[in-house]
């Protein structure tokens, strides 16, 4: 009898195990972030580590498709653009709600923009309003003139109108940034800037809402039942856990404790790919390059900049040093902007560069610049900010340049805070840098090289280029602007304002059971339609 | 005794003030500011930030403002993390760091003192060799190497303990060993040499000559005297353990105070640098003070007048 009973129990246990295994998997994931964001207020922060929260807890007028990353209607179901390209009228979906269940109207967009234009808000991306929206600059300088003067209005509960100071055909792209997402006035009025400190005051409007905030440890998101498209949202819970040690997060990932992680240790990249461990590579709209101080001797000579560009073995840096998935770059401008099926960079020149170094040509260019065999060339400094990978690249780069050009190079490094101040002030020769587009439009790159631009840290200056960029910025027809921007890119890239190395690619690890997610070119992880498959 | 206490507390306040002043001056002397982020902000935004955090005020005024907040235990807002205060970091991080530290402390005491005693009593025998070999390993191998090795074997290969975090009690095992390794080794060696020294003293021979049992000689006469140097180093050790280890917290992804302390320096988060330094210093000074009081209890010959 005893034997029979134990057999019976075994059978029951087996059956429950089988039924458990065939049940739907829990729609919960844990994703490791290597850094804690400096803030999660969409109006305030410009910190890329905030992206996983802001992309999934908030939604703006326009959103990214989770199928192909193209811009699609978000909270706005449709919009019209006036013929002069200045007035954008958005119609919101019906019955929008905040994550606390209260009504959410067009007025919330006006409030969000007004808040950004208040200097006390310390909005880091305020420039994207100042530079485009009519009246924004005057209002930011003096709030007392009244918000009526600014080109943001809500004539009724479902209409948002943006009026621009000058036509900008890429305004819709800019609007996709998290800066332009609405925030709830009630919670901010009640809690001040601490509204982002607790889950119950962190009211949002996206597919997910905040369930837990554990300072220094994690953010936990849950499905937002009030989201207009809640039926499409499958994940019930997302835990973003901060694990700053990549070795630890990789062991946790390979152990199955976490489902994904935002950064991959470079030394493990090759192995993880070979073992098919779920490496996800997605295109990015960004370029890794080295700033060259165009205003300083000897780099004010285009031939010197050319020589340096020719002397670099990009392939060796990508494959041997960084060990990443990336295309070599011959221009500052990254591919990725497509109009009528054509990429802006499709016809771009390689500017005489190739994936390997052309030492002969580099020496010739240097000789032509007046430094035959490197003679008389001053010792230059290659600066970088404290970062392990960048440090390796800098060493390789210095070796390549020294060997090819027979010149002396000193390496210097500092904390980012110190380093970046030096770059802005022009106290450098060559410095590690890079740019990731805030939005997918060539203007984000082109503006970097306009004379006097706040981000023009290489001090490149070319009147013809400046004129073309200005012209393109004001054109309403995307196809026409496309051609002008191509010309501008060609002019600047041919004068080697920077030392481009490779085009950035976003890499991350994700458990192969997780499907339906999308990574945008600005490395935004969209989990709206993600799910855990069996 | 009262005079001693008043004097010591007065000294502690002066020390703390000097530490705050020195940190403040050094921090502002280091190039770079708190608002340099990965993307450049325009001059208008920078001006607004400097205005809001009163960085345009003369330094002495900033310092006075800070001290005014400090006496009310208000460590100010973080310059880096929007909407967070330094008090938030401490009140959130300290429980994690302190709990880990307290467990580590118990582990350190329970392991190091018996190890030191055994090795002193079995001087030159295999037990002594073994303890000293372990102690040498513990002192020479850095904690992050021990930590990584422990995770690799016990969490990754064997799956006995979690890889990261302290959500389950098993999560404490590896960080405690990694963090306590150095202190165990150091204290065991100290205990051993101190006890060996005491055991050679005349009064131990006298005690034995009186016919007291060996256990009683060791526990009553030798150990009590041998513990004094150990207690001296215990003050700083306790402060160190309780306020968290940046390296250990980083490797095991424990949300303690250590991470904020180190990151605040590279990020030039002025208020956090100040707050963490002052907090740590106050803790350390208090621990040293408590140890001084303990001397009286252990050794009646020490008196404070």
């Amino acid at each position: 009898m005893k034997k029979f009973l134990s057999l019976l129990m075994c059978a029951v246990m087996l059956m429950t195990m089988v039924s458990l295994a065939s049940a739907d998997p829990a729609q919960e994931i844990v994703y490791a972030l290597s850094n804690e964001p400096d803030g999660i207020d969409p109006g305030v922060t410009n910190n890329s580590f905030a992206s996983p929260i802001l992309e999934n807890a908030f939604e703006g007028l326009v959103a990214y498709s989770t199928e192909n990353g193209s811009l699609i209607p978000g909270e706005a179901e449709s919009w019209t653009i006036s013929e002069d390209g200045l007035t954008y009228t958005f119609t919101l979906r019906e019955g929008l709600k905040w994550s606390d269940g209260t009504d959410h109207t067009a007025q919330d967009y006006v409030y969000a923009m007004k808040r950004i234009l208040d200097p006390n808000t310390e909005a880091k991306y305020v420039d994207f309003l100042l530079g485009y929206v009519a009246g924004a600059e005057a209002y930011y300088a003096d709030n007392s003139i009244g918000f009526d003067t600014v080109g943001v209005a809500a004539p009724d509960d479902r209409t948002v109108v943006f009026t621009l100071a000058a036509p900008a055909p890429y305004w819709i792209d800019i609007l996709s940034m998290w800066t332009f997402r609405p925030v709830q006035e009630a919670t901010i009025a009640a809690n001040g800037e601490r509204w982002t400190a607790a889950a119950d005051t962190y009211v949002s409007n996206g597919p997910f809402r905040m369930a837990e905030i554990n300072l220094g440890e994690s953010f936990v998101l849950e499905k937002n039942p009030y989201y207009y498209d809640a039926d499409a949202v499958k994940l019930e819970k997302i835990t973003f856990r901060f694990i700053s040690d990549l070795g630890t997060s990789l062991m946790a990932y390979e152990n199955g404790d976490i489902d994904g992680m935002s950064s991959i240790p470079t030394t493990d990249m090759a192995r993880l790919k070979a073992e098919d461990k779920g490496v996800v590579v997605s295109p990015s709209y960004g370029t890794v390059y080295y700033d060259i101080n165009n205003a300083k001797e000897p780099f004010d000579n285009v031939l010197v900049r050319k020589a340096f560009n020719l002397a670099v073995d990009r392939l060796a840096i990508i494959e041997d040093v960084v060990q990443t998935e990336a295309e070599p770059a011959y221009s500052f401008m990254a591919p990725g902007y497509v109009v009528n099926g054509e990429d802006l960079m499709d016809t771009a020149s390689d500017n005489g560069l190739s994936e390997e170094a052309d030492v002969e040509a580099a020496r010739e260019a240097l000789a032509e610049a007046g430094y035959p065999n490197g003679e008389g060339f001053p010792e230059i400094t290659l600066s970088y900010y404290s970062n392990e990978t960048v440090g390796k690249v800098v060493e390789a780069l210095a070796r390549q340049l020294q060997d090819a050009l027979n010149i002396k190079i000193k390496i210097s490094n500092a904390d980012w805070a110190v380093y970046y101040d030096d770059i802005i002030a022009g106290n450098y020769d060559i410095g590690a840098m890079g740019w990731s587009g805030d939005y997918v439009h060539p203007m984000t790159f082109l503006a970097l090289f306009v004379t006097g631009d706040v981000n023009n840290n290489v001090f490149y200056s070319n009147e013809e280029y400046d004129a073309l960029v200005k012209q393109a910025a004001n054109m309403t027809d995307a196809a026409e602007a496309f051609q002008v921007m191509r010309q501008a890119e060609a002019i600047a890239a041919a004068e080697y304002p920077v030392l481009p190395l490779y085009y950035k690619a976003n890499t991350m690890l994700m458990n192969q059971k997780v499907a339906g997610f999308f990574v945008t070119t600005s490395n935004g992880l969209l989990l709206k339609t993600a799910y855990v498959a069996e | 005794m009262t005079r001693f206490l008043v004097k010591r507390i007065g000294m502690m306040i002066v020390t703390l003030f000097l530490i705050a002043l020195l940190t403040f001056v050094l921090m502002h002397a280091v190039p770079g500011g708190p608002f340099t982020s990965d993307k450049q902000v325009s001059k208008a935004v920078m001006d607004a930030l400097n205005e809001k955090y009163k960085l345009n005020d003369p330094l002495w005024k900033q310092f006075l403002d800070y001290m005014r907040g400090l006496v009310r235990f208000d460590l100010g807002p973080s310059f880096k993390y929007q909407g967070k205060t330094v008090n938030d970091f401490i009140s959130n991080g300290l429980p994690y760091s302190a709990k880990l530290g307290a467990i580590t402390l118990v582990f350190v005491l329970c392991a190091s003192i018996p190890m030191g005693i055994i090795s002193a009593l079995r001087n030159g025998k295999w037990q002594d060799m073994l303890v000293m070999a372990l102690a040498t390993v513990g002192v020479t191998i850095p904690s992050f190497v021990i930590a990584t090795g422990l995770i690799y074997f016990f969490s990754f290969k064997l799956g006995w303990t979690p890889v990261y975090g302290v959500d389950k009690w098993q999560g404490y095992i590896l960080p405690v060993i990694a963090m306590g390794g150095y202190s165990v080794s150091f204290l065991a060696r100290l205990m051993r040499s101190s006890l060996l020294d005491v055991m050679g003293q005349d009064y131990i021979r006298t005690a034995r000559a009186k016919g007291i049992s060996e256990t009683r000689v060791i526990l009553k006469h030798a150990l009590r005297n041998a513990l004094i140097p150990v207690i001296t180093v215990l003050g700083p050790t306790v402060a160190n353990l309780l306020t968290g280890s940046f390296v250990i917290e980083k490797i095991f992804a424990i949300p303690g105070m250590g991470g904020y302390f180190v990151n605040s320096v590279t990020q030039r988060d002025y208020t956090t640098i100040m707050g963490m330094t002052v907090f740590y210093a106050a803790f350390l000074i208090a621990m040293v003070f408590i140890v001084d009081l303990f001397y009286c209890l252990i050794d009646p010959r020490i008196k404070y007048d």
Side-chain angles (χ1 to χ4, degrees), chain B residues 133-194:
Chain B
L134 275 175
T136 310
V137 169
V139 170
T140 47
I141 301 182
S143 62
F144 66 90
V145 177
I146 298 181
T148 314
L150 288 174
I151 299 186
Y152 184 77
F153 284 109
F154 293 103
S155 306
F156 188 58
K157 285 281 164 196
L158 299 170
W160 293 352
T161 49
V163 176
Y164 68 93
V166 285
D167 309 329
K168 297 186 203 119
W169 67 267
Q170 292 96 327
Y172 283 100
I173 299 174
L174 302 188
V176 162
I177 297 175
M179 194 156 125
Y182 177 84
S183 299
V184 168
S185 312
F186 181 76
L187 286 178
R189 293 168 74 95
L190 190 65
M191 187 71 223
R192 173 181 180 270
S193 54
S194 168

Side-chain angles (χ1 to χ4, degrees), chain A residues 38 122 127 194 241 248 416, chain B residues 37 42 52 82 88 251 253:
Chain A
D38 68 8
E122 343 159 15
D127 287 351
R194 289 183 71 83
R241 180 70 159 88
T248 303
W416 175 261
Chain B
S37 80
S42 65
K52 175 166 175 175
Q82 299 134 21
D88 287 342
I251 293 178

Side-chain angles (χ1 to χ4, degrees), chain A residues 169-488:
Chain A
Y170 49 99
W171 178 245
I172 292 290
D173 299 84
I174 292 183
L175 270 186
S176 72
M177 293 170 62
W178 65 60
T179 311
F180 296 92
R181 293 177 194 170
V183 288
Q184 195 197 46
E185 185 169 6
T187 185
I188 296 172
N191 304 293
E193 61 177 16
R194 289 183 71 83
W195 74 282
T196 59
D200 55 340
T201 57
Y202 191 70
V203 179
S204 67
N205 69 332
F208 298 93
R209 65 179 179 183
M210 194 62 81
E212 273 176 54
I213 294 180
N214 304 304
L215 191 62
E217 182 180 353
S218 64
F219 287 124
V220 182
L221 299 185
E222 64 183 6
K223 183 176 171 170
N224 174 8
Y226 297 105
Y227 180 58
Y228 67 83
D229 198 11
D231 291 345
V233 181
K234 297 180 185 102
L235 286 181
E236 293 292 336
K237 185 177 167 193
I238 309 163
T239 305
F240 289 108
R241 180 70 159 88
F242 313 127
I243 304 180
S244 58
D245 190 280
L246 292 185
T248 303
S249 43
L250 185 60
M251 275 192 271
Y253 176 78
E254 293 197 65
N255 230 4
D257 299 341
I258 59 174
D259 300 294
M261 52 193 277
S262 56
S263 324
I264 306 179
T266 52
T267 43
D268 289 280
M269 183 67 136
R271 176 180 66 82
L272 291 165
K273 266 198 305 198
E275 294 175 2
D276 194 21
K277 284 276 175 71
V279 177
V280 178
V281 181
S282 54
S284 163
Y285 197 54
T287 312
V288 171
Y289 56 75
Y290 278 62
D291 274 353
I292 302 178
N293 193 338
N294 285 232
K296 194 174 169 188
E297 263 191 274
F299 298 109
D300 52 352
N301 186 340
V302 62
L303 286 165
V304 174
R305 301 199 297 265
K306 184 182 177 184
F308 273 65
N309 262 286
L310 283 163
V312 174
D313 186 342
R314 291 171 173 78
L315 201 62
I317 287 178
I318 296 167
E319 290 187 349
D320 304 337
V321 184
V322 191
Q323 303 185 357
T324 183
E325 282 282 313
E327 289 296 314
Y330 310 128
S331 165
F332 56 87
M333 170 94 70
Y337 179 70
V338 178
V339 169
N340 299 332
E342 203 181 343
D343 193 296
L344 188 93
M345 295 301 283
D346 278 352
T347 59
S349 161
D350 62 10
N351 302 307
L353 306 174
S354 64
E355 56 183 29
E356 283 171 348
D358 187 345
V359 176
E360 284 295 298
R363 284 184 181 155
E364 265 171 44
L366 199 64
E368 212 183 313
Y371 308 100
N373 197 26
E375 281 161 31
F377 198 82
E379 184 185 38
I380 60 147
T381 307
L382 189 52
S383 331
Y384 73 103
Y385 50 94
S386 306
N387 174 297
E388 209 185 314
T389 310
V390 177
K392 286 182 195 161
V393 174
V394 163
E395 271 170 44
L397 201 59
R399 168 71 42 209
Q400 289 180 4
L401 291 169
Q402 277 174 336
D403 289 354
L405 302 172
N406 193 27
I407 55 172
K408 278 216 173 79
I409 293 183
K410 209 167 67 187
I411 292 176
S412 98
N413 108 68
D415 283 347
W416 175 261
V418 178
Y419 172 78
Y420 199 48
D421 281 352
D422 274 345
I423 295 279
I424 294 168
N427 292 330
Y428 74 99
D429 295 325
I430 297 181
M433 197 49 65
W435 188 260
S436 289
D438 296 311
Y439 48 91
V440 183
H441 191 280
M443 209 45 88
T444 181
F445 284 101
L446 291 171
L448 298 176
F449 302 98
V450 170
T451 311
D453 187 273
V454 64
N455 281 310
N456 184 353
N457 300 326
V458 298
F459 311 103
Y460 173 77
S461 179
N462 181 320
E463 279 178 25
E464 196 187 350
Y465 174 82
D466 293 351
L468 284 170
V469 174
K470 200 172 170 202
Q471 188 190 342
N474 291 325
M475 290 171 96
T476 48
D477 186 284
E480 279 173 35
F482 189 82
Q483 295 307 329
V484 179
M485 290 189 293
R486 263 194 177 164
Q487 283 179 44

